[in-house]
Amino acid sequence: LLSEMVDSGQVVTTDMSVLRGLVPVPSLMGRVIENVSGFSTNTLASSTASHDAPWRARSIRHTTNEFFVDIVDRIDAIVDSSGTCVMYDVMGDISCKSRLSGMPHLVMTLGRARELDDVVFHPCVVRRAWDTDRTIGFVPPDGPFKLASYHVAQSLRSMPLRVLGEARCTENGMTVHVTVEPGETGSRRVENIRVRVPLDSRAYNIGVQCKSGTHIVTTSRHPQVEWTLDSIHATDSLVRLVIQYSLRSAPQTDSTDAAFVTFEVPGYSVSSIKVDALRLLRESYKLFKGVRYSTMAGSFQVRF
């Protein structure tokens, strides 16, 4: 496996589809073929993978021909104590699962494709088509693979979830307020919300108040509170978390300075990158296709 991945000390092949074709999994049948023919199954695999699309075998057959696409946007953001977004970035991945027979050639057309930059494609993509008219032409590997990753320059900073935090020094400790309310999601539900609030290492006697969701208090060397909400709909009102704790010495203004947030919005694309068309060439069978969109938090930080 390493000899196929590395050439003259340089990594040249890391694609799983290519490696599966070059290095078959050892089996009893493989040992029988080696003993009878005198040829290594690795040699036979290398010869079958030496065509124009080494990531795909020529003899693939499926009873149903399906192709599924998942477009996932990730929001990296920093929100200050006033609710102003001081850093905002959107990255994304186009992941696919292919179950197609023969040697199909697919052409994918994306909406707002010209707003994508820093695009990294799978080796199966014909780069010339993308540079010419922003279409993605490719012969897909069989099974799951990542077709592309991208960055989107967003002029409008859309927030699916609004989170605000405030930390106040008290006489013997700190009080932290965190509020969560729905943002711009196109009426979609925000799910799997987790707010992690690291506390001062000197914190003790930690108390938590919240009427929605569940919370876990960690009182180890690095104390923290993790607040979990199953979901928030666009019509729901804001929910609040209050943390109060004491300190073993005088409180400092930076005892608790940020919260870290994760969430997911199924069916919503914050970048508005959509699959406008997916065409099948070089094969005559009917293609069954499906596309899913979702948005999630990447590195999402709320400062107090």
PDB file of all heavy atoms in Angstrom, residues 277-298:
ATOM      1  N   ALA A 277     -28.299  21.327 -12.566  1.00  0.00           N
ATOM      2  CA  ALA A 277     -28.498  20.214 -13.506  1.00  0.00           C
ATOM      3  C   ALA A 277     -27.392  19.189 -13.316  1.00  0.00           C
ATOM      4  O   ALA A 277     -26.267  19.520 -12.930  1.00  0.00           O
ATOM      5  CB  ALA A 277     -28.506  20.724 -14.951  1.00  0.00           C
ATOM      6  N   LEU A 278     -27.731  17.927 -13.598  1.00  0.00           N
ATOM      7  CA  LEU A 278     -26.759  16.832 -13.591  1.00  0.00           C
ATOM      8  C   LEU A 278     -27.073  15.933 -14.774  1.00  0.00           C
ATOM      9  O   LEU A 278     -28.105  15.262 -14.796  1.00  0.00           O
ATOM     10  CB  LEU A 278     -26.833  16.045 -12.277  1.00  0.00           C
ATOM     11  CG  LEU A 278     -25.826  14.902 -12.125  1.00  0.00           C
ATOM     12  CD1 LEU A 278     -24.403  15.444 -12.097  1.00  0.00           C
ATOM     13  CD2 LEU A 278     -26.113  14.100 -10.856  1.00  0.00           C
ATOM     14  N   ARG A 279     -26.188  15.952 -15.785  1.00  0.00           N
ATOM     15  CA  ARG A 279     -26.430  15.215 -17.028  1.00  0.00           C
ATOM     16  C   ARG A 279     -25.515  14.003 -17.110  1.00  0.00           C
ATOM     17  O   ARG A 279     -24.365  14.047 -16.688  1.00  0.00           O
ATOM     18  CB  ARG A 279     -26.203  16.112 -18.239  1.00  0.00           C
ATOM     19  CG  ARG A 279     -27.234  17.246 -18.375  1.00  0.00           C
ATOM     20  CD  ARG A 279     -26.947  18.069 -19.618  1.00  0.00           C
ATOM     21  NE  ARG A 279     -25.694  18.796 -19.486  1.00  0.00           N
ATOM     22  CZ  ARG A 279     -24.827  18.989 -20.470  1.00  0.00           C
ATOM     23  NH1 ARG A 279     -25.055  18.464 -21.666  1.00  0.00           N
ATOM     24  NH2 ARG A 279     -23.727  19.690 -20.279  1.00  0.00           N
ATOM     25  N   LEU A 280     -26.052  12.933 -17.694  1.00  0.00           N
ATOM     26  CA  LEU A 280     -25.303  11.697 -17.904  1.00  0.00           C
ATOM     27  C   LEU A 280     -24.961  11.553 -19.378  1.00  0.00           C
ATOM     28  O   LEU A 280     -25.842  11.632 -20.240  1.00  0.00           O
ATOM     29  CB  LEU A 280     -26.124  10.500 -17.430  1.00  0.00           C
ATOM     30  CG  LEU A 280     -25.573   9.110 -17.754  1.00  0.00           C
ATOM     31  CD1 LEU A 280     -24.280   8.854 -16.997  1.00  0.00           C
ATOM     32  CD2 LEU A 280     -26.609   8.033 -17.433  1.00  0.00           C
ATOM     33  N   LEU A 281     -23.671  11.343 -19.672  1.00  0.00           N
ATOM     34  CA  LEU A 281     -23.198  11.144 -21.040  1.00  0.00           C
ATOM     35  C   LEU A 281     -22.524   9.779 -21.151  1.00  0.00           C
ATOM     36  O   LEU A 281     -22.105   9.186 -20.158  1.00  0.00           O
ATOM     37  CB  LEU A 281     -22.210  12.242 -21.432  1.00  0.00           C
ATOM     38  CG  LEU A 281     -22.682  13.702 -21.252  1.00  0.00           C
ATOM     39  CD1 LEU A 281     -21.567  14.665 -21.626  1.00  0.00           C
ATOM     40  CD2 LEU A 281     -23.926  13.979 -22.080  1.00  0.00           C
ATOM     41  N   ARG A 282     -22.448   9.276 -22.381  1.00  0.00           N
ATOM     42  CA  ARG A 282     -21.727   8.036 -22.723  1.00  0.00           C
ATOM     43  C   ARG A 282     -22.407   6.756 -22.236  1.00  0.00           C
ATOM     44  O   ARG A 282     -21.886   5.664 -22.461  1.00  0.00           O
ATOM     45  CB  ARG A 282     -20.286   8.067 -22.210  1.00  0.00           C
ATOM     46  CG  ARG A 282     -19.448   9.200 -22.771  1.00  0.00           C
ATOM     47  CD  ARG A 282     -18.044   9.153 -22.241  1.00  0.00           C
ATOM     48  NE  ARG A 282     -17.260  10.300 -22.666  1.00  0.00           N
ATOM     49  CZ  ARG A 282     -16.024  10.562 -22.242  1.00  0.00           C
ATOM     50  NH1 ARG A 282     -15.441   9.737 -21.386  1.00  0.00           N
ATOM     51  NH2 ARG A 282     -15.380  11.633 -22.676  1.00  0.00           N
ATOM     52  N   GLU A 283     -23.529   6.870 -21.547  1.00  0.00           N
ATOM     53  CA  GLU A 283     -24.290   5.698 -21.132  1.00  0.00           C
ATOM     54  C   GLU A 283     -25.760   5.957 -21.429  1.00  0.00           C
ATOM     55  O   GLU A 283     -26.222   7.116 -21.390  1.00  0.00           O
ATOM     56  CB  GLU A 283     -24.091   5.390 -19.646  1.00  0.00           C
ATOM     57  CG  GLU A 283     -22.665   5.017 -19.264  1.00  0.00           C
ATOM     58  CD  GLU A 283     -22.230   3.661 -19.785  1.00  0.00           C
ATOM     59  OE1 GLU A 283     -23.114   2.888 -20.231  1.00  0.00           O
ATOM     60  OE2 GLU A 283     -21.025   3.361 -19.730  1.00  0.00           O
ATOM     61  N   SER A 284     -26.519   4.888 -21.695  1.00  0.00           N
ATOM     62  CA  SER A 284     -27.904   5.050 -22.132  1.00  0.00           C
ATOM     63  C   SER A 284     -28.934   4.723 -21.053  1.00  0.00           C
ATOM     64  O   SER A 284     -30.129   4.872 -21.293  1.00  0.00           O
ATOM     65  CB  SER A 284     -28.163   4.151 -23.356  1.00  0.00           C
ATOM     66  OG  SER A 284     -27.902   2.791 -23.035  1.00  0.00           O
ATOM     67  N   TYR A 285     -28.519   4.263 -19.872  1.00  0.00           N
ATOM     68  CA  TYR A 285     -29.490   3.894 -18.853  1.00  0.00           C
ATOM     69  C   TYR A 285     -30.041   5.145 -18.155  1.00  0.00           C
ATOM     70  O   TYR A 285     -29.495   6.250 -18.259  1.00  0.00           O
ATOM     71  CB  TYR A 285     -28.867   2.940 -17.826  1.00  0.00           C
ATOM     72  CG  TYR A 285     -27.543   3.392 -17.252  1.00  0.00           C
ATOM     73  CD1 TYR A 285     -27.476   4.435 -16.326  1.00  0.00           C
ATOM     74  CD2 TYR A 285     -26.352   2.768 -17.623  1.00  0.00           C
ATOM     75  CE1 TYR A 285     -26.273   4.842 -15.790  1.00  0.00           C
ATOM     76  CE2 TYR A 285     -25.147   3.171 -17.099  1.00  0.00           C
ATOM     77  CZ  TYR A 285     -25.107   4.204 -16.180  1.00  0.00           C
ATOM     78  OH  TYR A 285     -23.911   4.616 -15.660  1.00  0.00           O
ATOM     79  N   LYS A 286     -31.125   4.945 -17.411  1.00  0.00           N
ATOM     80  CA  LYS A 286     -31.746   6.038 -16.678  1.00  0.00           C
ATOM     81  C   LYS A 286     -31.012   6.264 -15.367  1.00  0.00           C
ATOM     82  O   LYS A 286     -30.702   5.314 -14.645  1.00  0.00           O
ATOM     83  CB  LYS A 286     -33.221   5.728 -16.406  1.00  0.00           C
ATOM     84  CG  LYS A 286     -33.964   6.871 -15.732  1.00  0.00           C
ATOM     85  CD  LYS A 286     -35.438   6.553 -15.557  1.00  0.00           C
ATOM     86  CE  LYS A 286     -36.177   7.708 -14.892  1.00  0.00           C
ATOM     87  NZ  LYS A 286     -37.619   7.412 -14.709  1.00  0.00           N
ATOM     88  N   LEU A 287     -30.737   7.515 -15.074  1.00  0.00           N
ATOM     89  CA  LEU A 287     -29.992   7.880 -13.872  1.00  0.00           C
ATOM     90  C   LEU A 287     -30.956   8.361 -12.788  1.00  0.00           C
ATOM     91  O   LEU A 287     -31.756   9.274 -13.007  1.00  0.00           O
ATOM     92  CB  LEU A 287     -28.991   8.995 -14.203  1.00  0.00           C
ATOM     93  CG  LEU A 287     -28.292   9.672 -13.021  1.00  0.00           C
ATOM     94  CD1 LEU A 287     -27.416   8.672 -12.285  1.00  0.00           C
ATOM     95  CD2 LEU A 287     -27.463  10.854 -13.511  1.00  0.00           C
ATOM     96  N   PHE A 288     -30.892   7.730 -11.615  1.00  0.00           N
ATOM     97  CA  PHE A 288     -31.642   8.191 -10.449  1.00  0.00           C
ATOM     98  C   PHE A 288     -30.699   9.038  -9.599  1.00  0.00           C
ATOM     99  O   PHE A 288     -29.602   8.587  -9.241  1.00  0.00           O
ATOM    100  CB  PHE A 288     -32.169   7.001  -9.643  1.00  0.00           C
ATOM    101  CG  PHE A 288     -33.170   6.174 -10.386  1.00  0.00           C
ATOM    102  CD1 PHE A 288     -32.762   5.075 -11.128  1.00  0.00           C
ATOM    103  CD2 PHE A 288     -34.520   6.497 -10.361  1.00  0.00           C
ATOM    104  CE1 PHE A 288     -33.684   4.303 -11.825  1.00  0.00           C
ATOM    105  CE2 PHE A 288     -35.442   5.735 -11.060  1.00  0.00           C
ATOM    106  CZ  PHE A 288     -35.029   4.638 -11.793  1.00  0.00           C
ATOM    107  N   LYS A 289     -31.115  10.247  -9.272  1.00  0.00           N
ATOM    108  CA  LYS A 289     -30.222  11.168  -8.574  1.00  0.00           C
ATOM    109  C   LYS A 289     -30.940  11.846  -7.418  1.00  0.00           C
ATOM    110  O   LYS A 289     -32.164  11.977  -7.399  1.00  0.00           O
ATOM    111  CB  LYS A 289     -29.686  12.224  -9.541  1.00  0.00           C
ATOM    112  CG  LYS A 289     -30.764  12.963 -10.310  1.00  0.00           C
ATOM    113  CD  LYS A 289     -30.199  13.706 -11.492  1.00  0.00           C
ATOM    114  CE  LYS A 289     -31.318  14.309 -12.341  1.00  0.00           C
ATOM    115  NZ  LYS A 289     -30.828  14.949 -13.558  1.00  0.00           N
ATOM    116  N   GLY A 290     -30.161  12.278  -6.454  1.00  0.00           N
ATOM    117  CA  GLY A 290     -30.703  12.996  -5.304  1.00  0.00           C
ATOM    118  C   GLY A 290     -29.684  13.992  -4.799  1.00  0.00           C
ATOM    119  O   GLY A 290     -28.464  13.762  -4.871  1.00  0.00           O
ATOM    120  N   VAL A 291     -30.170  15.124  -4.267  1.00  0.00           N
ATOM    121  CA  VAL A 291     -29.296  16.180  -3.763  1.00  0.00           C
ATOM    122  C   VAL A 291     -29.789  16.616  -2.389  1.00  0.00           C
ATOM    123  O   VAL A 291     -30.995  16.821  -2.195  1.00  0.00           O
ATOM    124  CB  VAL A 291     -29.266  17.396  -4.714  1.00  0.00           C
ATOM    125  CG1 VAL A 291     -28.287  18.452  -4.189  1.00  0.00           C
ATOM    126  CG2 VAL A 291     -28.882  16.991  -6.120  1.00  0.00           C
ATOM    127  N   ARG A 292     -28.872  16.738  -1.437  1.00  0.00           N
ATOM    128  CA  ARG A 292     -29.198  17.245  -0.105  1.00  0.00           C
ATOM    129  C   ARG A 292     -28.288  18.431   0.209  1.00  0.00           C
ATOM    130  O   ARG A 292     -27.137  18.476  -0.200  1.00  0.00           O
ATOM    131  CB  ARG A 292     -29.001  16.170   0.960  1.00  0.00           C
ATOM    132  CG  ARG A 292     -29.960  15.011   0.863  1.00  0.00           C
ATOM    133  CD  ARG A 292     -29.821  14.084   2.062  1.00  0.00           C
ATOM    134  NE  ARG A 292     -28.465  13.572   2.226  1.00  0.00           N
ATOM    135  CZ  ARG A 292     -28.117  12.670   3.132  1.00  0.00           C
ATOM    136  NH1 ARG A 292     -29.028  12.179   3.946  1.00  0.00           N
ATOM    137  NH2 ARG A 292     -26.867  12.245   3.226  1.00  0.00           N
ATOM    138  N   TYR A 293     -28.855  19.378   0.978  1.00  0.00           N
ATOM    139  CA  TYR A 293     -28.101  20.555   1.389  1.00  0.00           C
ATOM    140  C   TYR A 293     -28.139  20.647   2.911  1.00  0.00           C
ATOM    141  O   TYR A 293     -29.123  20.259   3.554  1.00  0.00           O
ATOM    142  CB  TYR A 293     -28.703  21.829   0.790  1.00  0.00           C
ATOM    143  CG  TYR A 293     -28.822  21.816  -0.715  1.00  0.00           C
ATOM    144  CD1 TYR A 293     -30.005  21.424  -1.331  1.00  0.00           C
ATOM    145  CD2 TYR A 293     -27.749  22.180  -1.515  1.00  0.00           C
ATOM    146  CE1 TYR A 293     -30.119  21.409  -2.712  1.00  0.00           C
ATOM    147  CE2 TYR A 293     -27.854  22.165  -2.900  1.00  0.00           C
ATOM    148  CZ  TYR A 293     -29.046  21.771  -3.486  1.00  0.00           C
ATOM    149  OH  TYR A 293     -29.146  21.746  -4.860  1.00  0.00           O
ATOM    150  N   SER A 294     -27.095  21.186   3.477  1.00  0.00           N
ATOM    151  CA  SER A 294     -27.085  21.452   4.914  1.00  0.00           C
ATOM    152  C   SER A 294     -26.036  22.518   5.218  1.00  0.00           C
ATOM    153  O   SER A 294     -25.085  22.713   4.452  1.00  0.00           O
ATOM    154  CB  SER A 294     -26.805  20.178   5.726  1.00  0.00           C
ATOM    155  OG  SER A 294     -25.505  19.690   5.465  1.00  0.00           O
ATOM    156  N   THR A 295     -26.255  23.187   6.327  1.00  0.00           N
ATOM    157  CA  THR A 295     -25.323  24.202   6.824  1.00  0.00           C
ATOM    158  C   THR A 295     -25.002  23.874   8.268  1.00  0.00           C
ATOM    159  O   THR A 295     -25.897  23.506   9.037  1.00  0.00           O
ATOM    160  CB  THR A 295     -25.940  25.607   6.726  1.00  0.00           C
ATOM    161  OG1 THR A 295     -26.180  25.934   5.356  1.00  0.00           O
ATOM    162  CG2 THR A 295     -25.019  26.654   7.329  1.00  0.00           C
ATOM    163  N   MET A 296     -23.743  23.995   8.640  1.00  0.00           N
ATOM    164  CA  MET A 296     -23.337  23.722  10.017  1.00  0.00           C
ATOM    165  C   MET A 296     -22.282  24.727  10.460  1.00  0.00           C
ATOM    166  O   MET A 296     -21.693  25.444   9.632  1.00  0.00           O
ATOM    167  CB  MET A 296     -22.813  22.295  10.158  1.00  0.00           C
ATOM    168  CG  MET A 296     -21.594  21.985   9.344  1.00  0.00           C
ATOM    169  SD  MET A 296     -20.998  20.289   9.604  1.00  0.00           S
ATOM    170  CE  MET A 296     -22.452  19.342   9.176  1.00  0.00           C
ATOM    171  N   ALA A 297     -22.067  24.761  11.749  1.00  0.00           N
ATOM    172  CA  ALA A 297     -21.035  25.632  12.295  1.00  0.00           C
ATOM    173  C   ALA A 297     -19.680  24.965  12.154  1.00  0.00           C
ATOM    174  O   ALA A 297     -19.534  23.767  12.400  1.00  0.00           O
ATOM    175  CB  ALA A 297     -21.321  25.930  13.761  1.00  0.00           C
ATOM    176  N   GLY A 298     -18.699  25.757  11.720  1.00  0.00           N
ATOM    177  CA  GLY A 298     -17.326  25.286  11.697  1.00  0.00           C
ATOM    178  C   GLY A 298     -16.643  25.725  12.982  1.00  0.00           C
ATOM    179  O   GLY A 298     -16.866  25.172  14.056  1.00  0.00           O
TER     180      GLY A 298
END
